[in-house]
Amino acid sequence: MTTQSSVTRPVPSKRLSVPIDEREPSLLRLFFLDFIRSKTAVVGLIVITSIIVAVVLAPVIAPQDPYDLSQLNILDGRLPPGSVGVDGNYYLLGTDGQGRDMLSGILFGLQTSLLVGVGSAFVAAIIGSILGLLAAYFGGIVETLVMRFVDLQLSFPTILTGLMILAVMGKGIVNVILALIIVEWAIYARTARASALAERRREYIEAAETLALPKWRIVLRHLLPNCIPALIVIATIQIAHAIAFEATLSFLGLGVPITEPSLGLLVANGYRYMLSGDYWISFLPGLALLITIVSINLVGDHLRDILNPKNKR
Amino acid sequence: MNAYLKRVLAAGVVLGALGGAPALAKDLVMGRSTPQTVLDPHFTVQPTGNAMATDLYDGLVFFGEDLQLYPALATSWEPIDELTWEIKLRPNVRFHNGAKFTAKDIEYSLKRAGSMPNSPSPVTPQVAAVDEVEVVDDLTVRIKTKVPTPLLMNQIGEVFITSSEFGDVDTADFNSGKAAVGTGPYRLVSWIPGEAAELEANPEWWGGQPEFENVTVKFIADSSARVAALLSKQVDVIDAVPSEDVDFLRGQSGVEIHSSPSVRLLFLYLDLVNDNSPFVTDHEGRPLDINPLKDVRVRKALSKLIDREAITDHVFARLATPAGQVAVEGQGGYSKSLVPDQYDPDAAKVLLAEAGYPDGFGLTLHCATDRDVNTADAIQAMAQMIARGGIRINAVDCRPYSVYSAEATKGEYSAFMWGRSDKRPDTSLNLRNGYMTYDIDAGVGAWNRGRYSNREFDNLVQLALQEFDTEKRYDLLRQATEILIGEDMAILPVYFLNATWATRDGFTFDANKKVETSAQHVHAK
Amino acid sequence: MLIWLLRRLLQAALVLLAMTALVFIGVNVIGNPVDIMISPDADQEVRQQAISALGFDKPLWEQYLIFLKNALNGDIGNSYVFNQPALDVIMQRLPATLELAVAALILSVLIGIPLGLIAGLYPEIAVSRVIMTVSILGFSLPSFWVGLMLIMLFSVMLGWLPSIGQGETVEVLGMRWSFLTWDGLKHMFLPALNLSLYKISMVLRLTRAGTSETLHTEYIKFARAKGLSPVRIVGVHVLKNIMIPVVTVVGLGFGGTIAYAVVTETVFAWPGTGKLIIDSINVLDRPVIVAYLMMIVTIFVVINLLVDLSYTLLDPRVRLGDRG
């Protein structure tokens, strides 16, 4: 049965499981070889890695601390790229309306955006897929409970849930992440359950059950791997979505604090200046946002392809 | 399906032809930022209820560009004793449906305005002083007041007059158009709540033939969409032009900008009452058990740290004016001697040292994101300046107005931006409600959020409120303001917003400080 | 089947109850509309009168019970802003949002599925790579920003399409619709495209993922070996297999599309419920917030039922009767 064999476990668990008959010492190497087959994915990985390095080094390499208001000068506001400010500062990528150096703003903003996107997607995926799998496997009261919660959650439009949570709890990165987790876990639960539900009825699961394998083992070793491709697709989409969602919250006046803008907030703030031609304030952080998300997705896409048990050639 | 919409539709008028052919010479399409959500002019004091009312209805008086009173439906008014005003009404005025306007309509409208159920923002304060309305003859009313009320006309002058012939009507009757019958320059043709309205000229208006045959008002809340609508010729006039786009719009052929300083003052409230103010810390961010903001030297130092010109120039593209007091020029109570503080960090340093804070202290600034334009940008710029002056800015926290207004009014902030419009002929009501000592029983100082309290100031305002002689009243108010700002710096006035409109080829606009976007202010070229 | 349906309806009622309670608590934590809207000339007495006239001085549970009692009689309350029944306020705007959401949905299926099939069937060709890369843009860019770009390009620079409002409308069944007029359709195009971009990408990616998975299954290989025509393989077997995720996403997403119209409607001044709800939250117009969310929940429950039903039709392995 091809569906049962040749499952390569995804990265999160850091454990690779393979069917016994194919076990070889060079599995990681195989995975690596598989991965570098796609040039775009490799480029994506390189870009992500450089972005992460740049973000970690941001406090050192950024010309300015964009969160320290005393370093900003309103008199330097809306300067185009390559300008020199009143105090002789050189702004490679120009400044925003507050006189914030765009390069520094983008570097620090990336930090926030990545934290928000990856952090929320990761936690939400774990919570959501566990609940979804349990629902699919056990059915009955567990499924009813979980799926009604999913319904409750999904029947609150995400954007409204976000608005309400942030209005009540106040702004801040942690609150944005919390809001995103609350908003997104249900999507993972729903997806995990949907894939597992179809899988659940397959013969090999029934076979495993008749073999009296422990339930957790069936869930973890058979249902979960089969849900992983779908979950990875959803997760890559959700990371991108989380970053855009945070931008939208900022556009609507919530989200992260205005003095510590994420990429999304930089885009949202700069958007007001687009009509009058000050493109760099919105466009450059938008570009950074885009490159980041596209790279994440290129890698995610390819991971999905090589992890999908049904795609084995 | 609700009844009123059906009726609107039955009249066969649904908005059309937006992006299409250019407007006819005598037609006008306006793009307005504030949506009209009710047509009942007595339901709310918010612009969502009365912005269009100035075209449909008239008041007893009309507030001119100098903010003073001019005759409208009333031709003259005078006190006959301390508690009675006699008002003569304009003859030969007719409502849009042909009914004759008489004193009965005044009695009716004032009564109705004072008794609207279920309004979160009732018009009651405007008629609170009225004890009894006596109809003397068709064109004369006498109004008895509960206490001597020199400002009666300022207050009831804001009430729009509707026709008494409809009797006991509710908001739905106005929304359906049935009762939305005024004496104003334009008649209602159709209205889609929050989206658009159509008006047509009332050729018999007492003020003369209106300029446009048909007026369409489209409500476009998003400022970029509004600008785009003007550029793509879907509308002829827009209001509330975002300052970011002003320079760009000036460069577009056929587009004209019309701007005027407005009565909208943005100022910083400071917590003047709590000893351990919630958002004051020492210069290292630790809680502080004394409140430096209670020291007038600290407040004056803060004021000198704010470079108002830099804010109006760079945040507002000069579409704001530095403020040094609560009144605008021409308004009763304006003081020539109160000029905006100049940016002077050295003097501020000296003042801070004198007050015992040579190393500064810590402060969090609060503001609302969705109330006035660019407040968040302005307060960040202020934070930069204050931080460079040696005061630690712990954070700048801007929140939605729904959350912000409740918390600010409860006194949960230490230093926070607020906007207040006062378009009255003089500042007496503004000073009474905004700055007199907070006192529930006396009903004064209701919105004194910083809890400023000065007996001398209170007495001056109290005297002004009783003073029938205009000159004397204005003088008392001027003295009171000089104490409020000049001596005590109870709030930090920062800037008056400009009101700004943009028109397309063929139209021009009377920029006005009352920030009215009525069709009467638009003229064809 | 009937019991399953009844159980579902009971659950829906519980969801409604929980949701309204949460809204009451949430709004109460934030504040009350009087403090937001009251005249700056009002004194404390006027404020107090307004507060008690609207019942905000009562304890929250009492306010909630009063609401429940009235709601059972079909009265959700008057909007504080519009001073007319909140449900009426919503219903006036619902057609505009519905037609926008449906248009977005149609666009997403019409564009998403064919492109996804191409990318799934021929993953190696250049066109597929372009499709996949562009699809990433579809859900990467914040929609308010894309909306403004669309306005900049098509309305301001090219002048092809109008960017604000609904255009000419026609009354059918007592509601105003703009998709029945040419002018209305022109007005609808940009906002519908803006709203559908995210969904197009989702459908496209799911279609591709499903297609390439299905192509590697035994039975497709078998079908190929048997010599079935490629058209039939794709048209019947592949499409059938990708329908489950697509129906899930498109169906479940419909409620979300209606809600996400918040942003699109704000940017394009589209007079629908999304714009209304943002304004209502801003002034804490509780009856409208509650009515809106009840409407969304109801729409959602209906969609959920339909999606579950269509599962059984599309994939007989999923049965309804024996589980929740």
Side-chain angles (χ1 to χ4, degrees), chain B residues 247-265:
Chain B
D247 287 335
F248 163 70
L249 280 175
R250 281 204 176 105
Q252 300 291 307
S253 73
V255 174
E256 254 185 90
I257 301 282
H258 313 270
S259 184
S260 155
S262 81
V263 292
R264 185 80 181 165
L265 170 69

Side-chain angles (χ1 to χ4, degrees), chain B residues 21-83:
Chain B
L24 297 169
K26 297 198 103 182
D27 290 350
L28 169 69
V29 184
M30 299 167 67
R32 224 183 55 194
S33 54
T34 324
Q36 190 85 23
T37 57
V38 281
L39 279 187
D40 184 341
H42 302 144
F43 178 66
T44 171
V45 296
Q46 292 290 318
T48 51
N50 60 28
M52 224 162 60
T54 49
D55 276 332
L56 296 175
Y57 309 97
D58 290 307
L60 279 168
V61 293
F62 153 76
F63 297 84
E65 179 52 16
D66 56 359
L67 304 178
Q68 304 304 312
L69 301 181
Y70 293 91
L73 289 179
T75 49
S76 68
W77 51 91
E78 56 182 359
I80 32 183
D81 61 52
E82 276 219 316
L83 294 173

Side-chain angles (χ1 to χ4, degrees), chain C residues 10-308:
Chain C
L10 187 71
Q11 285 162 356
L14 286 176
V15 169
L16 276 180
L17 204 65
M19 188 273 305
T20 48
L22 283 175
V23 171
F24 264 73
I25 295 169
V27 171
N28 194 59
V29 169
I30 302 176
N32 75 63
V34 174
D35 287 335
I36 297 171
M37 287 190 264
I38 194 139
S39 157
D41 293 327
D43 55 24
Q44 292 92 332
E45 194 188 335
V46 172
R47 174 175 170 269
Q48 208 47 52
Q49 278 166 2
I51 285 179
S52 50
L54 295 169
F56 290 118
D57 51 345
K58 297 194 177 74
L60 187 63
W61 60 268
E62 200 181 329
Q63 294 180 41
Y64 185 60
L65 285 185
I66 293 172
F67 159 78
L68 279 186
K69 204 180 104 203
N70 292 335
L72 287 177
N73 295 324
D75 174 16
I76 298 179
N78 270 19
S79 157
Y80 305 138
V81 175
F82 292 84
N83 198 25
Q84 49 173 300
L87 213 52
D88 284 5
V89 176
I90 302 270
M91 291 316 279
Q92 285 155 31
R93 276 144 231 267
L94 190 57
T97 300
L98 275 182
E99 61 180 338
L100 192 63
V102 170
L105 191 141
I106 293 173
L107 279 180
S108 67
V109 171
L110 285 186
I111 300 175
I113 290 187
L115 292 184
L117 275 177
I118 294 175
L121 292 172
Y122 314 103
E124 305 301 331
I125 66 172
V127 175
S128 300
R129 290 174 193 279
V130 171
I131 289 174
M132 290 317 289
T133 313
V134 172
S135 84
I136 290 171
L137 300 184
F139 56 77
S140 307
L141 293 170
S143 74
F144 68 89
W145 194 72
V146 177
L148 194 80
M149 294 301 108
L150 290 175
I151 293 180
M152 281 283 284
L153 184 63
F154 291 106
S155 291
V156 179
M157 288 161 74
L158 298 172
W160 290 351
L161 290 162
S163 61
I164 53 157
Q166 210 181 354
E168 203 180 320
T169 54
V170 172
E171 193 190 359
V172 177
L173 302 174
M175 297 180 180
R176 297 180 306 119
W177 304 93
S178 48
F179 73 98
L180 295 171
T181 66
W182 176 237
D183 185 55
L185 277 178
K186 279 203 305 193
H187 279 80
M188 197 192 291
F189 185 74
L190 286 184
L193 183 67
N194 185 221
L195 190 58
S196 69
L197 278 183
Y198 180 78
K199 202 148 274 284
I200 291 175
S201 312
M202 287 289 271
V203 169
L204 192 158
R205 294 172 77 79
L206 284 162
T207 307
R208 187 192 91 123
T211 309
S212 61
E213 267 176 27
T214 315
L215 285 181
H216 291 100
T217 54
E218 297 290 303
Y219 73 92
I220 294 288
K221 287 179 185 160
F222 179 70
R224 275 188 174 157
K226 225 174 73 177
L228 280 186
S229 79
V231 175
R232 191 173 157 78
I233 291 177
V234 171
V236 177
H237 298 286
V238 173
L239 267 186
K240 195 170 161 187
N241 253 287
I242 60 173
M243 276 333 254
I244 284 209
V246 170
V247 166
T248 310
V249 166
V250 168
L252 292 181
F254 191 67
T257 309
I258 289 180
Y260 250 91
V262 167
V263 179
T264 302
E265 287 178 7
T266 305
V267 174
F268 290 91
W270 187 264
T273 51
K275 206 152 80 76
L276 175 71
I277 189 65
I278 284 285
D279 295 343
S280 301
I281 290 178
N282 281 341
V283 295
L284 300 179
D285 194 349
R286 192 173 69 196
V288 175
I289 301 175
V290 168
Y292 174 82
L293 288 175
M294 287 175 79
M295 174 203 77
I296 293 273
V297 170
T298 311
I299 290 177
F300 183 82
V301 167
V302 172
I303 290 170
N304 231 356
L305 279 177
L306 294 178
V307 168
D308 278 355

Side-chain angles (χ1 to χ4, degrees), chain A:
Chain A
M1 281 298 306
T2 41
T3 36
Q4 193 186 357
S5 62
S6 72
V7 170
T8 314
R9 276 290 180 68
V11 191
S13 68
K14 292 255 161 102
R15 253 181 68 216
L16 298 167
S17 120
V18 278
I20 299 130
D21 56 340
E22 276 176 37
R23 196 181 290 274
E24 299 173 28
S26 59
L27 195 83
L28 262 172
R29 215 176 137 247
L30 269 185
F31 176 78
F32 177 75
L33 287 177
D34 241 0
F35 187 83
I36 58 166
R37 269 221 313 266
S38 164
K39 297 281 173 294
T40 48
V42 173
V43 171
L45 192 65
I46 292 171
V47 173
I48 293 182
T49 316
S50 354
I51 287 174
I52 291 173
V53 169
V55 160
V56 171
L57 294 180
V60 186
I61 56 174
Q64 183 190 64
D65 177 358
Y67 298 167
D68 179 2
L69 285 170
S70 64
Q71 289 191 28
L72 311 185
N73 193 336
I74 188 77
L75 300 178
D76 283 355
R78 295 168 73 177
L79 293 180
S83 301
V84 177
V86 285
D87 301 325
N89 297 330
Y90 178 71
Y91 300 113
L92 181 66
L93 300 181
T95 62
D96 72 359
Q98 287 293 321
R100 182 179 287 115
D101 174 45
M102 287 311 294
L103 177 62
S104 313
I106 289 171
L107 285 172
F108 277 74
L110 265 170
Q111 210 171 10
T112 313
S113 293
L114 283 178
L115 191 68
V116 168
V118 178
S120 65
F122 192 68
V123 180
I126 290 176
I127 297 174
S129 41
I130 288 176
L131 290 173
L133 282 174
L134 293 180
Y137 187 75
F138 291 103
I141 183 81
V142 178
E143 180 176 44
T144 309
L145 264 179
V146 171
M147 293 325 285
R148 273 347 99 191
F149 264 109
V150 168
D151 284 355
L152 181 65
Q153 184 56 59
L154 290 179
S155 57
F156 268 77
T158 54
I159 187 101
L160 297 181
T161 318
L163 280 178
M164 284 284 190
I165 292 171
L166 287 166
V168 175
M169 298 199 311
K171 289 204 235 191
I173 295 170
V174 175
N175 288 352
V176 171
I177 295 179
L178 265 178
L180 276 161
I181 293 170
I182 294 173
V183 160
E184 288 184 343
W185 72 272
I187 299 167
Y188 293 97
R190 184 109 210 168
T191 314
R193 176 198 173 243
S195 333
L197 208 59
E199 214 61 41
R200 172 95 176 73
R201 295 277 148 193
R202 297 240 160 121
E203 315 82 65
Y204 73 93
I205 299 279
E206 276 163 21
E209 275 175 345
T210 47
L211 283 174
L213 287 180
K215 288 185 170 178
W216 62 266
R217 201 180 142 87
I218 297 176
V219 171
L220 279 188
R221 306 220 22 167
H222 300 290
L223 287 185
L224 181 63
N226 277 294
C227 302
I228 289 287
L231 286 175
I232 287 188
V233 179
I234 297 288
T236 45
I237 289 171
Q238 290 302 325
I239 289 178
H241 181 230
I243 294 172
F245 187 77
E246 182 270 314
T248 306
L249 285 175
S250 303
F251 171 66
L252 296 171
L254 290 155
V256 297
I258 45 166
T259 49
E260 296 175 13
S262 62
L263 278 188
L265 187 56
L266 286 174
V267 174
N269 279 342
Y271 136 103
R272 294 180 291 152
Y273 306 110
M274 285 301 282
L275 271 177
S276 47
D278 296 351
Y279 67 92
W280 61 93
I281 306 176
S282 189
F283 181 73
L284 293 180
L287 199 65
L289 189 70
L290 200 66
I291 293 173
T292 311
I293 292 168
V294 169
S295 314
I296 294 174
N297 280 309
L298 287 175
V299 174
D301 247 18
H302 188 56
L303 273 183
R304 189 193 57 84
D305 280 348
I306 57 179
L307 291 179
N308 191 340
K310 295 174 193 166
N311 273 3
K312 277 286 170 205
R313 280 150 263 225

Side-chain angles (χ1 to χ4, degrees), chain B residues 240-495:
Chain B
V241 180
S243 56
E244 300 86 12
D245 293 330
V246 163
D247 287 335
F248 163 70
L249 280 175
R250 281 204 176 105
Q252 300 291 307
S253 73
V255 174
E256 254 185 90
I257 301 282
H258 313 270
S259 184
S260 155
S262 81
V263 292
R264 185 80 181 165
L265 170 69
L266 272 291
F267 58 94
L268 199 65
Y269 267 125
L270 300 171
D271 177 359
L272 303 185
V273 67
N274 292 311
D275 275 330
N276 41 4
S277 194
F279 286 97
V280 172
T281 66
D282 70 4
H283 63 277
E284 280 166 0
R286 291 173 304 220
L288 197 61
D289 54 7
I290 48 168
N291 179 355
L293 300 174
K294 287 169 88 169
D295 189 321
V296 65
R297 289 168 297 191
V298 171
R299 301 199 291 271
K300 288 190 166 161
L302 283 175
S303 181
K304 287 185 193 303
L305 284 177
I306 299 172
D307 186 348
R308 292 171 174 79
E309 301 259 338
I311 293 173
T312 54
D313 281 6
H314 290 266
V315 176
F316 292 97
R318 285 171 294 286
L319 291 183
T321 315
Q325 57 183 309
V326 295
V328 294
E329 200 163 356
Q331 199 169 25
Y334 176 83
S335 163
K336 282 198 168 58
S337 67
L338 291 174
V339 291
D341 266 338
Q342 289 299 308
Y343 177 56
D344 191 348
D346 297 330
K349 203 150 221 125
V350 173
L351 279 167
L352 280 175
E354 270 176 28
Y357 302 96
D359 300 325
F361 57 94
L363 200 55
T364 298
L365 304 180
H366 285 86
C367 81
T369 45
D370 52 352
R371 193 64 167 183
D372 292 291
V373 294
N374 298 358
T375 314
D377 296 298
I379 201 168
Q380 284 183 79
M382 285 161 60
Q384 292 178 12
M385 296 159 183
I386 293 173
R388 276 197 295 275
I391 289 172
R392 177 195 165 103
I393 295 294
N394 290 318
V396 176
D397 191 356
C398 294
R399 320 193 66 188
Y401 189 72
S402 55
V403 178
Y404 174 79
S405 68
E407 293 184 346
T409 305
K410 270 185 259 167
E412 291 178 6
Y413 303 146
S414 294
F416 52 106
M417 278 296 258
W418 204 269
R420 193 176 165 100
S421 304
D422 179 20
K423 52 184 171 188
R424 295 260 169 55
D426 67 50
T427 56
S428 43
L429 293 174
N430 186 6
L431 296 185
R432 182 191 74 180
N433 296 316
Y435 306 101
M436 276 177 75
T437 305
Y438 180 80
D439 185 340
I440 296 182
D441 297 329
V444 298
W447 305 111
N448 181 352
R449 295 181 177 83
R451 296 289 188 270
Y452 170 65
S453 178
N454 181 329
R455 290 291 151 207
E456 197 189 344
F457 169 82
D458 288 357
N459 289 338
L460 284 168
V461 178
Q462 206 59 267
L463 283 174
L465 286 163
Q466 312 283 330
E467 180 57 64
F468 277 82
D469 184 292
T470 310
E471 284 308 311
K472 283 187 189 151
R473 185 165 71 241
Y474 287 4
D475 195 54
L476 287 165
L477 293 169
R478 182 187 53 74
Q479 293 174 38
T481 311
E482 284 168 3
I483 293 174
L484 177 76
I485 305 293
E487 286 179 21
D488 289 343
M489 199 54 90
I491 54 155
L492 308 189
V494 185
Y495 52 88

